Amino acid sequence: MKFAIVIIENAESRRQIQEDRATYRKAIEAWMGQQAQAGALVGGEAFETETLAPVTVRREADGTRKAVEGPFAGADETLGGYILVEAADRDAAVEIAKSWPNPETLEVRPLWVAE
C-alpha cells in the first residue's frame, strides 16, 4: 500500500533549520537514502515555507470562496511537504514515520485507490 507522510513544521523544526540548515538537511537526506535502499521511498516534495506564504482558500457560508494569506492551521504549524512510501500496511508506514530524524510532526495517510 502507498502512504503519504505529511510533514508539519513547528517552531522547533524552524529553529533547527535557521540554526544549522546543512545539518538539518543531511539528516533528511540520510533518512531518504535509507528508505530508498529499503525499497519504501516512492517520492515526495518539500514545500516552500520561508519566502512565500501560503494562501488558504475557504468556502464561505454563502458559497463564495475567500482567499486568506497564511496557513490553514494558524501560525504555530505549517505544512512542510510530504513523502510517499510503500508499506505493507498502516502499522509499517507508522514505523517508517517514527524513524524521521527531525522534530516535525508527521501525519500518516493512506492513499486512496480507485476501484
Side-chain angles (χ1 to χ4, degrees):
M1 288 180 73
K2 287 188 178 136
F3 293 85
I5 299 175
V6 181
I7 303 164
I8 304 163
E9 290 184 358
N10 54 44
E12 178 59 20
S13 64
R14 285 191 292 275
R15 185 192 67 72
Q16 284 187 14
I17 291 167
Q18 292 167 353
E19 188 175 280
D20 188 352
R21 183 179 306 274
T23 299
Y24 177 89
R25 287 185 62 93
K26 268 191 175 163
I28 292 174
E29 289 167 0
W31 184 89
M32 298 280 265
Q34 291 166 354
Q35 299 313 314
Q37 191 170 38
L41 184 65
V42 175
E45 296 289 338
F47 298 142
E48 170 55 60
T49 61
E50 293 185 53
T51 61
L52 188 61
V55 175
T56 299
V57 178
R58 294 188 190 277
R59 179 179 292 240
E60 300 292 303
D62 65 2
T64 62
R65 299 258 179 203
K66 181 179 179 184
V68 178
E69 184 95 7
F72 73 95
D76 292 340
E77 296 182 319
T78 189
L79 295 176
Y82 64 93
I83 299 158
L84 301 176
V85 297
E86 182 78 39
D89 55 30
R90 189 177 79 159
D91 290 341
V94 168
E95 288 305 312
I96 292 169
K98 286 167 70 175
S99 70
W100 183 252
N102 291 332
E104 290 85 2
T105 298
L106 303 174
E107 184 171 304
V108 177
R109 293 265 183 150
L111 296 185
W112 179 72
V113 178
E115 293 183 24

